[in-house]
Amino acid sequence: MKSCGVTLVTATSFCDEGKKMAAGKASGESKEESLSLTAEEEEVLGGLDSRLFGFVRLHEDGARTKTLLGKAVRCYESLILKTEGKVESDFFCQLGHFNLLLEDYPKALSAYQRYYSLQSDYWKNAVFLYGLGLVYFYYNAFHWAIKAFQEVLYVDPSFCRAKEIHLRLGLMFKVNTDYESSLKHFQLALIDCHPCTLSKVEIQFHIAHLYETQKKYHFAKEAYEQLLQTENLPAQVKATILQQLGWMHHNVDILGDKATKESYAIQYLQKSLEADPNSGQCWYFLGRCYSSIGKVQDAFVSYRQSIDKSEASADTWCSIGVLYQQQNQPMDALQAYICAVQLDHGHAAAWMDLGTLYESCSQPQDAIKCYLNATRCKSCTNTSTLAGRIKFLQAQLCNLPQSSLQNKTKLLPSIEEAWSLPIPAELTSRQGAMNTAQQASKTHHPKTEPVLGLSQTPILQQPLPVQMIPSSQVDGLSSPAKKRRTSSPIKGLHKGQSSHLSGPNDEQPSFSTGPAQYLEAASIGIQKQTGHGTQEAALNHLSSHIATSGGQQGTTFTKESQPSGNRSLVPETSRHAGDIPNGCAVVKGLSDHVQQLTVEPVCGPNHGNSISPNLLISDSPQISASLIGKASDSVGTGAYDKASNIYPAIHTKTNNSNTSSPSSVVFTTIPFSKSTEQTTTHSVSSLNNPQNRLHTINGEGLENVQSSEKPDLPLISFKSDPQIIPSMSMSIYSNSTEVLKACRNLGNNGLSSSPIFFDKCPPPRPPTSPYPPLPKDKLNPPTPSIYLENKRDAFFPPLHQFCTNPKNPVTVIRGLAGALKLDLGLFSTKTLVEANNEHMVEVRTQLLQPADENWDPTGTKKIWRCESNRSHTTIAKYAQYQASSFQESLREENEKRMQHKDYSDNESTSSNISGKRRKGPFKTIKFGTNIDLSDDKKWKLQLHELTKLPAFVRVVSAGNLLSHLGHSILGMNTVQLYMKVPGSRTPGHQENNNFCSVNINIGPGDCEWFVVPEDYWGVLNDFCEKNNLNFLMSSWWPNLEDLYEANVPVYRFIQRPGDLVWINAGTVHWVQAIGWCNNIAWNVGPLTACQYKLAVERYEWNKLRSVKSVVPMVHLSWNMARNIKVSDPKLFEMIKYCLLKVLKQCQTLREALITAGKEVIWHGRTNDEPAHYCSICEVEVFDLLFVTNESNSQKTYIVHCQDCARKTSRNLDNFVVLEQYKMEDLMQVYDQFTLVSEINMFLQYHPPLLDIAP
């Protein structure tokens, strides 16, 4: 991957031309000469781009480079003014790089946006995407930064800054609570031997802390202790590890009894302070530990040390208040609490404790005010309890005579009086703390979140720069002074503080690490369950290297807010930055400079009308106008929107909404022949024909089956740039010899993990919602259903065509078991226990909820996240649970009948009770899932019974793509069983690689299904991102109200015993059991172009998202070419194109290895050998396997892809390369895979019958 190639000679020639135009004007000549670039300067600038960000130290020995960059920027800006912005697109890309290296982020973003608007194939430029990702990272636009970084790795897996990208992705996913993705990227960064802004031990610390935030405390403890054994461990890292261990022992019950835990906690914290005595955070933790064991004086000393070391801290003051309250010193407690809430108006714990204090002093009016303030805090987690307390106190006030309230002597000043009281000297060891608190009381806004710096010093916040808007709108923006807060890096004791009054109940604090620092706001997202948000500054130095080109400065971010549908992307302008560059206030923190930033929420894609951050800023209005584009664009604001919108849907460049879907771009490089445009018409009988006795309801009529394929999507033409991504045009109709000849001497241009189906197309993106939107009365469509009466109906060919018709996202085949006389009793719980009672069952512990709703555990609000805990048991034990659950339900039903009999005249009361029951507390249930029935020895009778099914729904058949894999994939081409009790949930998902699925309800109870067509999966993906969920990996249950508002149609139906549900390719679905039942399911791959296309789309999308594809599509495609004759031109061309790409990659990689002197060793394949995946990044590895020397000698064969192998060992010294296929064999398969006519196909599978006369 090369940098964008704007030629500096061109830039200089433009400047020289400008000098000629300004001839005769002495001042002009002088200015132009100063902007000229010498040949030496051009050469130096030619090697400067975003890849050097963080690796050139402009603040130390790079003064000359910094001066040169500034000169280049001035030259480029001058040229923009002269040409009115009419320069080549690469010019803006290079300008963006220069501004990024100078840390002028607004200008960098402006230049990158202009490049994006001018360069249609911007996605080919990995260096641009990397620079753009760094800018978004700086502005805390995590959604967009993740998107940019993922596209870098997709278009160039061997990108030189891949380690840096994985590190930053790990940090961002950690903040977003996507812990699985975070761990994967941290591990990918850890194995990479390339340079990075964090050391190996620092990355290992992040992994250890990741375990801690996931409540995997034993793993975390082991990882921390292992890190402590590292030689030459930096003092700051050591101090932070000890601090984490100490605080974890204080909070986590499973680490021992209380006395032992507190003893270890104090020891660890004391050792931490020996390594870093200036850590106010650690002093605070030590105070908490002393307080919990009753050492009041030691706790007070520790708190005072914390205040002295870390300036003012709301947490510390709140803890001091608790300490005083425990010692029955209410006035001192009051003043401490007031200090806490003045420092942080949103400190819910302090407000609650203050309310408790007033209530204990019989001042209910003040207590109510404090409780009300607590309920308004974002960090408040028990609003319902507080609301009840407020009502109780208000009722008490109503019952008291007014005279008694007026005459009663108050023990404490009212809240209004206390707010203005000075802080007594004995409460603070530093007079400055009083001034800080008083200043904070004037400047704080009650609803703003505190933003905390690593330096533990008040820092001026800097929002995103303002785009070009009218001055009248700028005047309307709120001033940062109104939102500025002097704060400490310690955030509220959401539950833990007040718990001191009723007994220790401390929980793990949030120690969330952001892209450049430990993000304070991540405590909201990561630690919903915790009582603290106190650790965001704990590892100051670990992040201070990140995100600045000088290697000196870092940036603290707040967590990206939830996107708002119609939110304006016009953030505030900082008017209080003084002379500090870029409007930032920079302070000295520990050993490094730390730059503080807070931002407005940045919207994600497709969230209402939100778009990407559209910010075009420059110090010069003229340059800004040039960057934005003149009125010559002739489209008014539309031109501006295009220029300023980075990462819109693809249709903004193609004027076709369909092209925003991966399905529209995945095969645009395939040279479709005219034959692909022809539709073959099959003559089929209508299912409505009475003679067929096969009844169709609510489905796409079979008379339209011949036109059921989705219409051909328009091809997209993208301008290719051979300087960025070398590519080689080759027709699928070329023979293998020509392909290999063209591949020779290409070096490293072909990579084993490069995109297989997207050579000249953008990275895959989710489709936008279909347009025009459906009317509201079409959002609950009837489910396509077919009723079978006999075996003939089940084997009637149009049934297969009806089910696979893309216009029918789901089909319910009613009465299948009866028509085929299937013995469903073989899959009953009783039979399963008799057959294999010790067989393993995966158990998911869930909450029993209504099928159409999903509430948080407290029952206070509807959410998308659907949590479940995983465990294992046996069939026999789960059968006992299933039976006992049924018996318990019978008892409950009998009790309800008795109640109904006694209170039959009070129906309204009964309905109200049932309504309240929907909102918790919820009953816990267990769902037995993923029970493997693949062993034909254990389950011979059950599997044989399924051979009675029609061929198109069988587990194994010639027309099933998954039958050609050559090995088993559990649950896909094997049968899985599900054992359910009412309420058991299968959360929302698409099937692996978008394959079709078959599900049969064994009974005796029913299941309720919810289904969304494949076209809308992009909308559900956006909802998942909006709710901080991973569409592919997280567990989620859609809110039907959200889908209705977004015009997403939902099919909803009941599956009864004996019914078969066919889920078509790509359909999104989620299921809940209504009764006690068992289900069996597996996947099927119809031999259609639609199925193959959707499968490879998801294969590429998974690669972009760093998710393993369960179905190895490359391996499958070669097996299909060996085993199947294809008559469908579209399907043939897609498979052939895959073979072409893989053949090119194998040959190119082999040539590169031979050139490098690396021996390729023949290894071959065994029968039923599974496809191989990289053990590091989990991409499919075909033919050439990179195996470590050690695993090769031990015959364990730990496989790597080429990219991961080179990251581990640059010269592949520690690897051997094993070859599984001879190139001659692949060439033969490629050449012999040809398109056959339908007549030949028919004769092959249906030989003519000879009517011989007797």
Side-chain angles (χ1 to χ4, degrees), residues 1073-1087:
I1074 298 176
W1076 291 262
C1077 61
N1078 293 346
N1079 290 67
I1080 53 174
W1082 58 92
N1083 291 101
V1084 174
L1087 191 58

Side-chain angles (χ1 to χ4, degrees), residues 574-834:
S574 177
R575 302 187 183 94
H576 299 270
D579 297 327
I580 298 174
N582 299 335
C584 299
V586 181
V587 298
K588 188 74 175 177
L590 291 180
S591 59
D592 299 308
H593 290 86
V594 180
Q595 191 173 34
Q596 176 69 29
L597 171 70
T598 182
V599 299
E600 287 292 309
V602 179
C603 294
N606 301 324
H607 297 158
N609 297 328
S610 62
I611 56 175
S612 61
N614 48 354
L615 311 162
L616 286 167
I617 306 303
S618 175
D619 292 342
S620 167
Q622 292 176 303
I623 294 175
S624 295
S626 298
L627 287 174
I628 295 172
K630 296 292 183 178
S632 58
D633 291 332
S634 72
V635 288
T637 57
Y640 168 72
D641 290 338
K642 178 182 178 183
S644 61
N645 181 13
I646 295 189
Y647 290 133
I650 299 177
H651 70 269
T652 57
K653 290 185 175 293
T654 61
N655 296 323
N656 189 310
S657 60
N658 288 335
T659 59
S660 62
S661 167
S663 62
S664 63
V665 298
V666 67
F667 300 111
T668 55
T669 56
I670 300 176
F672 286 109
S673 63
K674 292 183 179 180
S675 61
T676 64
E677 300 175 1
Q678 299 172 355
T679 303
T680 305
T681 303
H682 303 276
S683 176
V684 295
S685 301
S686 171
L687 285 182
N688 293 322
N689 189 334
Q691 296 179 354
N692 297 326
R693 289 196 281 183
L694 190 62
H695 309 293
T696 305
I697 298 179
N698 300 335
E700 183 69 21
L702 289 181
E703 62 273 15
N704 296 325
V705 166
Q706 66 271 20
S707 60
S708 64
E709 291 293 331
K710 292 182 179 179
D712 291 343
L713 297 170
L715 303 183
I716 308 173
S717 176
F718 290 97
K719 182 174 66 177
S720 61
D721 186 350
Q723 290 184 334
I724 298 176
I725 294 184
S727 60
M728 176 185 62
S729 298
M730 180 64 63
S731 169
I732 62 172
Y733 298 102
S734 303
N735 60 42
S736 59
T737 304
E738 295 172 343
V739 174
L740 265 59
K741 182 178 179 181
C743 288
R744 292 196 172 94
N745 302 321
L746 284 182
N748 287 321
N749 290 344
L751 298 172
S752 61
S753 57
S754 63
I756 294 173
F757 303 98
F758 289 94
D759 190 20
K760 295 182 180 179
C761 301
R765 295 194 178 100
T768 56
S769 182
Y771 187 85
L774 292 175
K776 295 297 183 181
D777 59 348
K778 301 291 185 181
L779 298 183
N780 294 298
T783 304
S785 303
I786 295 177
Y787 290 81
L788 303 182
E789 295 184 1
N790 52 44
K791 184 176 180 180
R792 179 183 176 185
D793 291 348
F795 285 85
F796 189 45
L799 176 62
H800 176 200
Q801 298 164 353
F802 181 87
C803 289
T804 56
N805 186 336
K807 294 183 179 179
N808 296 325
V810 60
T811 301
V812 183
I813 304 178
R814 306 282 188 187
L816 177 75
L820 296 177
K821 298 181 180 179
L822 288 176
D823 184 4
L824 299 183
L826 291 171
F827 298 93
S828 68
T829 300
K830 180 181 177 181
T831 306
L832 296 172
V833 172
E834 293 172 351

Side-chain angles (χ1 to χ4, degrees), residues 305-369:
Q305 286 282 0
S306 174
I307 293 175
D308 185 60
K309 303 298 182 184
S310 60
E311 296 290 343
S313 164
D315 276 352
T316 308
W317 284 115
C318 186
S319 295
I320 291 173
V322 171
L323 207 59
Y324 277 127
Q325 192 170 352
Q326 288 175 333
Q327 299 304 308
N328 197 25
Q329 296 176 247
M331 190 62 192
D332 293 330
L334 172 67
Q335 291 177 306
Y337 289 143
I338 290 296
C339 288
V341 294
Q342 284 182 341
L343 290 171
D344 181 4
H345 283 271
H347 202 295
W351 282 116
M352 286 188 286
D353 289 341
L354 188 55
T356 304
L357 177 64
Y358 273 121
E359 192 175 349
S360 67
C361 295
S362 301
Q363 294 179 227
Q365 291 174 317
D366 293 307
I368 290 173
K369 294 175 184 177

Side-chain angles (χ1 to χ4, degrees), residues 815-887:
L816 177 75
L820 296 177
K821 298 181 180 179
L822 288 176
D823 184 4
L824 299 183
L826 291 171
F827 298 93
S828 68
T829 300
K830 180 181 177 181
T831 306
L832 296 172
V833 172
E834 293 172 351
N836 293 285
N837 61 345
E838 294 299 317
H839 197 68
M840 188 64 65
V841 177
E842 178 184 329
V843 176
R844 291 285 180 171
T845 303
Q846 302 173 334
L847 297 178
L848 176 60
Q849 303 203 47
D852 55 354
E853 295 177 354
N854 187 57
W855 296 84
D856 67 346
T858 63
T860 56
K861 63 178 179 179
K862 292 182 180 180
I863 59 174
W864 276 61
R865 187 178 297 276
C866 181
E867 296 290 358
S868 64
N869 297 320
R870 182 180 179 184
S871 59
H872 291 86
T873 187
T874 63
I875 285 182
K877 291 180 180 178
Y878 189 84
Q880 292 176 356
Y881 166 74
Q882 205 175 33
S884 63
S885 170
F886 180 71
Q887 294 296 331

